[in-house]
Amino acid sequence: MSSIKNIPAVDEVLRQEKIAGLFTIYNRSFVTDLIREATDGVRQMLRHTEPETTAGLTRAELTERIVNTTVDLVAARSRGTLIPVINGTGVVLHTNLGRAPLGQKALDYIQEIASAYNNLEINLETGERGSRYHHVEELLCRITGAEAALVVNNNAAAVLLGLNTFAQRKQVLVSRGQLIEIGGSFRIPEIMKMSGAYLYEVGTTNKTYKSDFARAIGEETGLLFSAHTSNYKILGFAQDIKIEDLVELGRQYQLPVMQDLGSGVLYDLSSSGLKEEPVVQDCVTAGVDIITFSGDKLLGGPQAGLIVGKKAYIDKMKQNQLLRALRVGKITIAALEGTLLEYLAGTPQEYIPVLAMLAKTEKQLTGQGQRLLRKLKTTLGNHTLVEKIRLVPFEDMVGGGAYPTYTLAGVGVEIKLAPDQLEPVAQALRQQNPAILIRKQEDSMRISVRTLLEHDQEKIVEGIQKALQTIQMQKIDQPR
Ligand SMILES: *Cc1c(COP(=O)(O)O)cnc(C)c1O
């Protein structure tokens, strides 16, 4: 005999003490919907199991099951879908993980500004309407040496705005070696189309000379454009036009020169071994008219598109109606100002998390690795699903499209699991809050310490313990 007839009515579940407790916090229809969902789940379970295994379930037992499931569902559904992730991958700027974690000053500033009214668009001196674009500008000019600056939603928007402002229904000259695609479908030719500009390809994939550009300039030309090839490298018989030459041509023919840097390095990272990303200040010095870069890549701030350059050109971009659709909000401005203020300090790599991660020395990494190793060995060393825990060298990466061919020497912990346990454990770790992302290698999981933030080590130990427990319970539950 099936137990389906013992499934309680919703009203009966509603009378249970634990459910009544939920009503003091959550609204009635939200909880009732989840009771129905839990009840359906139990009904399905009874239908799909062998009658003899579930036949004896009483009304009280089924009610308890539904109540407990409802409590779990409420816990799962009463938070947003965005949850924190511990990044054990060693990829510093992981686009899928929200790129740069913000520093303390940025966080404090967001809290202060967003929890109150603020002077986003009012000039407090005159009491009249002000401009939101005024806010970050002075700081950006001070740091980069540029005459003027503007901030939009992201770097893709910055490029779009530049192309539309200077080259709508005109030609944009770009070297064939720079027709880039950045992950997540940012493609120079596509952005061109959307901006209303016409792409004019110059030179060849591996060789583009100044003379190629000089020959290509004509009546229809509106803009000379250069994109930093941040996520690939052309090696061998290759040469591309130098930005200085492009600037010279721009002067000669009175055409604006725009450079899309992608990453936006404001602080020389060569002491961390990172020499190839152009530094924004150098591009300003080289005389580039419009320079665009991301706020959340190597700059270490919020998602934003930063534009710096000559005042006459930036002013023209400010007057473009398209800007209204690309504008940033107060939270972005607060986070950006908080981040940029750190660059006024002599040692921004102490305060900006992304820079701090890149600057970690081998000694620091080894120290952190050993601490994590000790903690893991103490709690998990004798676990039946764990075969071996050891320190391993790690190939960390900058990520975010930057330094595609370059790995940073890192340190990590490797946990060798019993056969076939890696997938289920990795999945259990992803489904926790905070979720934990690891790297997989054969039967082992690996965690790099470079990308761990404060207190992540404790959470990792706890998280792995919990994941292993979940896996073990599932094994017991499963009939053979
Ligand atoms: C990352 C990148 C972009 C896109 O920047 P978003 O801030 O993600 O919009 C554009 N151009 C280059 C060269 C990049 O590296």
Side-chain angles (χ1 to χ4, degrees), residues 105 139-140 142-144 263-269 281 293-295 297-301 306 336-349 351-355:
K105 203 170 260 177
L139 207 45
L140 265 175
R142 185 183 298 278
I143 294 166
T144 63
S263 251
V265 176
L266 293 179
Y267 180 80
D268 192 356
L269 298 167
Q281 289 87 326
F293 50 100
S294 292
K297 289 187 181 171
L298 285 167
L299 191 147
L306 283 64
L336 199 53
E337 286 204 320
T339 306
L340 289 172
L341 284 170
E342 301 288 22
Y343 281 93
L344 297 180
T347 50
Q349 76 273 33
Y351 307 106
I352 295 178
V354 165
L355 298 186

Side-chain angles (χ1 to χ4, degrees), residues 99 154-156 180 182 186 228 230 260-262 294 296-297 304:
R99 291 194 186 155
N154 58 7
N155 187 29
I180 57 171
I182 308 292
F186 173 91
H228 177 56
S230 52
D260 172 18
L261 287 185
S294 292
D296 55 354
K297 289 187 181 171

